[in-house]
Amino acid sequence: MNIVTVIQARTGSSRLPNKVLLPLSGKSLLERMVERVKWSELAGKIVVATTEEESDNIIEKICKKNNLLLYRGNTQDLLDRHYQAAKLFNAEAVVKIPSDCPLIDFRIIDKVISYFIENSDKYDFVSNLHPATYPDGNDVEIMHFDVLEYAWKNANRKLEREHTTPYIWENPDKFRIGNVEWETGLNYSMTHRFTIDYPEDYEFVKLVYDELYFKNPRFGLIDILDLLESKPELKTINEKYNGVNWYRNHLDELKTITPDQTKII
């Protein structure tokens, strides 16, 4: 199976502009993000999908410098951007990973992809998000290319184009949806925040890198949780945003998301 992993990235984030360029242990956030995904054994071809905006020329430069595959496309229509990138690289299955998760554990990436491969005849789409149980920032979604293509052809709502996959997981009557839950039985999705949207998120992630990266660049979820147990003050840095995600703005439009899966700020 030709798997293509698409990491969407742009400099024009409204809440934290240029966040993918922020430094983490001597390199940009984007470079660290790709580095972690590359440690996955099953991610296949890794493609950075950015926009055609002039401001994202810097992302193209970073990709050329690091010999990374790149696709440049629509700014707002991420469904189109993912589809075109996947098509360009002849994907049979497409993995979606956002670029603002530089603490993502490559073991979790492999777990989700492995589950999809083992059950590819049973599921059209597999993620670890429906429902989510891992700490926020370990987001992995994978689907057959023809499923992504069907969504690309049929999704009409703005949120379906902007967030790539809602048309799929919002229609369990049309698609067979699989989910990977944290094997511990715990649910930290609303209590632990490892993604970057706000300055406090970056401060938290930077300190985690400062503590762990040079001891073991391949540090993972357990290492982070152990660090937070030994230094609980770190967790307070961005805890006011725990549970804050894009669902909060679309609860009246989403059929499969309940209010307890997001936080209003």
Side-chain angles (χ1 to χ4, degrees):
M1 187 180 296
N2 183 29
I3 295 175
V4 173
T5 294
V6 180
I7 302 174
Q8 74 265 25
R10 65 189 182 103
T11 58
S13 171
S14 57
R15 288 179 294 271
L16 188 58
N18 296 311
K19 63 183 177 182
V20 295
L21 306 179
L22 293 171
L24 289 176
S25 298
K27 288 192 175 183
S28 69
L29 187 153
L30 177 60
E31 289 169 290
R32 292 299 181 211
M33 178 79 216
V34 173
E35 178 180 58
R36 293 185 73 78
V37 177
K38 275 186 170 182
W39 288 327
S40 161
E41 295 180 0
L42 300 175
K45 296 175 184 173
I46 299 169
V47 181
V48 175
T50 192
T51 80
E52 295 175 331
E53 304 288 339
E54 186 177 350
S55 58
D56 287 326
N57 289 347
I58 183 65
I59 291 179
E60 181 169 346
K61 288 181 181 178
I62 290 172
C63 289
K64 286 181 178 177
K65 171 187 166 187
N66 291 277
N67 295 312
L68 303 177
L69 298 176
L70 175 72
Y71 171 77
R72 299 189 71 165
N74 195 292
T75 300
Q76 300 299 331
D77 189 343
L78 267 74
L79 175 52
D80 182 69
R81 211 193 305 170
H82 278 80
Y83 170 72
Q84 300 296 347
K87 184 179 179 182
L88 178 65
F89 293 100
N90 302 308
E92 293 175 273
V94 188
V95 180
K96 175 184 181 291
I97 296 179
S99 64
D100 53 6
C101 300
L103 295 179
I104 195 168
D105 191 325
F106 62 92
R107 302 165 191 85
I108 297 173
I109 298 174
D110 279 339
K111 185 176 181 183
V112 175
I113 298 176
S114 176
Y115 186 77
F116 175 81
I117 292 171
E118 291 167 6
N119 297 279
S120 62
D121 59 333
K122 298 178 185 175
Y123 296 116
D124 301 308
F125 170 94
V126 168
S127 76
N128 58 356
L129 297 171
H130 302 285
T133 52
Y134 288 100
D136 189 7
N138 285 283
D139 307 6
V140 185
E141 302 171 75
I142 180 170
M143 66 224 78
H144 294 287
F145 175 77
D146 59 353
V147 172
L148 179 65
E149 185 171 55
Y150 187 92
W152 176 75
K153 289 178 179 177
N154 292 281
N156 294 312
R157 293 189 295 168
K158 182 181 177 183
L159 72 87
E160 293 170 341
R161 310 301 303 192
E162 184 179 351
H163 297 283
T164 309
T165 55
Y167 180 83
I168 301 168
W169 48 260
E170 276 278 279
N171 287 292
D173 55 326
K174 289 188 175 77
F175 305 102
R176 299 167 299 169
I177 309 298
N179 191 63
V180 174
E181 296 190 3
W182 196 6
E183 64 274 13
T184 61
L186 298 170
N187 184 349
Y188 280 7
S189 62
M190 297 290 290
T191 60
H192 290 65
R193 182 178 175 84
F194 297 171
T195 188
I196 294 184
D197 271 315
Y198 302 96
E200 292 91 340
D201 294 329
Y202 170 65
E203 183 183 353
F204 167 78
V205 170
K206 181 180 181 301
L207 288 171
V208 170
Y209 263 82
D210 290 346
E211 290 280 349
L212 297 178
Y213 185 82
F214 292 109
K215 297 175 188 173
N216 173 21
R218 294 161 68 96
F219 68 88
L221 174 57
I222 301 305
D223 300 301
I224 300 169
L225 294 176
D226 286 345
L227 173 63
L228 297 184
E229 190 165 333
S230 65
K231 296 189 175 183
E233 67 276 9
L234 294 180
K235 191 172 181 296
T236 66
I237 294 171
N238 66 340
E239 67 180 0
K240 70 179 179 180
Y241 296 117
N242 286 348
V244 175
N245 54 48
W246 69 269
Y247 298 157
R248 72 188 186 281
N249 299 317
H250 301 281
L251 285 174
D252 59 336
E253 299 175 81
L254 294 168
K255 299 177 293 185
T256 63
I257 300 299
T258 55
D260 62 342
Q261 292 174 281
T262 191
K263 176 182 173 183
I264 308 295
I265 56 169

